[in-house]
Amino acid sequence: MRLMVITGVLAGLVACDGAPEEAPPAEDKCPEIGMDSLAGDWIKVQGSSGDHKTRLRTFEEGGSWHAWYVDGGWRKKVMAGELRSEDLKLTEVPDDRKKAAFESGSETLTRLYFQPHKPKCAIRMVEVRVSMDGDTEKEQQVGVGYTEFLKFPEGLELTYRPCDDDMFIDDAAKDWATAKKQLEGNGINPVGALGESVPAAAFTDPLPTECTYTFDQFFDDQPVEGGQGVEAKLVDDKVHWYAEWYAPYSGNHHFEIHRYAECDGDKKLLGVSCLEGILD
């Protein structure tokens, strides 16, 4: 009797043409989350709140994975990626100074394990500090458990690209001789007076061809209203990327400009200049 029941059940699963019916595919409730959709802008979330100061831009370029990581402050870290079977492993790319310090064991690097998590329609991430013990890497997790990230919301523009060079504030922003004296002395003085017209600028060498120079301003990682496409001036033998910023807020603030050159109708990004200023 049992054999007859089983045979009847199997017969019911066979279509008229004799082939078994396929079960309909399960609905994907979060198609934007997956190993094939890791590229993009991501924001840390905790409950229903987003932390815009902790964000990540992941992208493929030249056949390799890369990322820019903003870890709660103004600094953007350059990350190199390795796409594995279940996650994207991202490791900080240090500059020469930090590379030497890391190899000597005196400083750590940031490493992220970035993984889709369908049950919560989110990306979950583990952050670790990597240190060298002789010739061996050691990892120590930051915090406990996973941190969740979601796609960055549309309509809000924040910067991700790491800085290439420095900016100056107050008198050093107005004059290359004063700025150069700071560079050759104790370093850039980040302290300036707050106000509605705070001088902040960068200085660079001009390109060998005749070009038009413009820049976009960002304050605390957000676009400055009316500060896009500002014209830079050629002063003596330097391009002077100068503006007076509306910054009537005390404390630490981030000045950032994205520098462009247009030569023979071709506009390109030259680099990003930044300063974490202290306004008092």
Side-chain angles (χ1 to χ4, degrees), residues 47-95:
S48 60
S49 300
D51 174 10
H52 72 275
K53 289 189 174 181
T54 305
R55 57 191 189 274
L56 183 74
R57 172 170 290 175
T58 52
F59 56 98
E60 281 188 279
E61 188 173 81
S64 300
W65 278 88
H66 308 269
W68 297 330
Y69 181 43
V70 187
D71 63 353
W74 310 121
R75 175 177 168 79
K76 285 92 170 172
K77 294 182 179 179
V78 180
M79 314 290 287
E82 177 189 349
L83 187 64
R84 308 190 304 177
S85 61
E86 296 183 350
D87 64 17
L88 177 61
K89 176 183 175 182
L90 297 162
T91 304
E92 179 182 355
V93 179
D95 57 21

Side-chain angles (χ1 to χ4, degrees), residues 140-192:
Q140 182 173 2
Q141 184 171 344
V142 177
V144 178
Y146 294 99
T147 301
E148 289 188 355
F149 281 73
L150 293 175
K151 284 283 189 180
F152 202 86
E154 295 182 4
L156 178 61
E157 183 181 356
L158 291 173
T159 59
Y160 289 84
R161 196 180 188 282
C163 301
D164 299 299
D165 45 48
D166 299 310
M167 291 178 64
F168 302 85
I169 196 168
D170 274 359
D171 290 342
K174 301 176 181 179
D175 175 61
W176 170 239
T178 304
K180 184 179 180 182
K181 187 176 294 185
Q182 288 189 4
L183 288 174
E184 295 173 345
N186 296 323
I188 296 172
N189 180 9
V191 180

Side-chain angles (χ1 to χ4, degrees), residues 117-136:
H117 188 52
K118 288 284 190 179
K120 287 197 172 182
C121 287
I123 295 289
R124 61 184 186 182
M125 187 181 82
V126 171
E127 179 172 348
V128 301
R129 295 283 180 264
V130 186
S131 61
M132 290 299 294
D133 184 5
D135 296 328
T136 305

Side-chain angles (χ1 to χ4, degrees), residues 201-224:
F203 299 88
T204 65
D205 295 327
L207 295 176
T209 57
E210 187 173 338
C211 303
T212 300
Y213 300 97
T214 58
F215 61 93
D216 297 338
Q217 296 173 251
F218 298 86
F219 184 70
D220 287 351
D221 290 358
Q222 300 182 61
V224 172

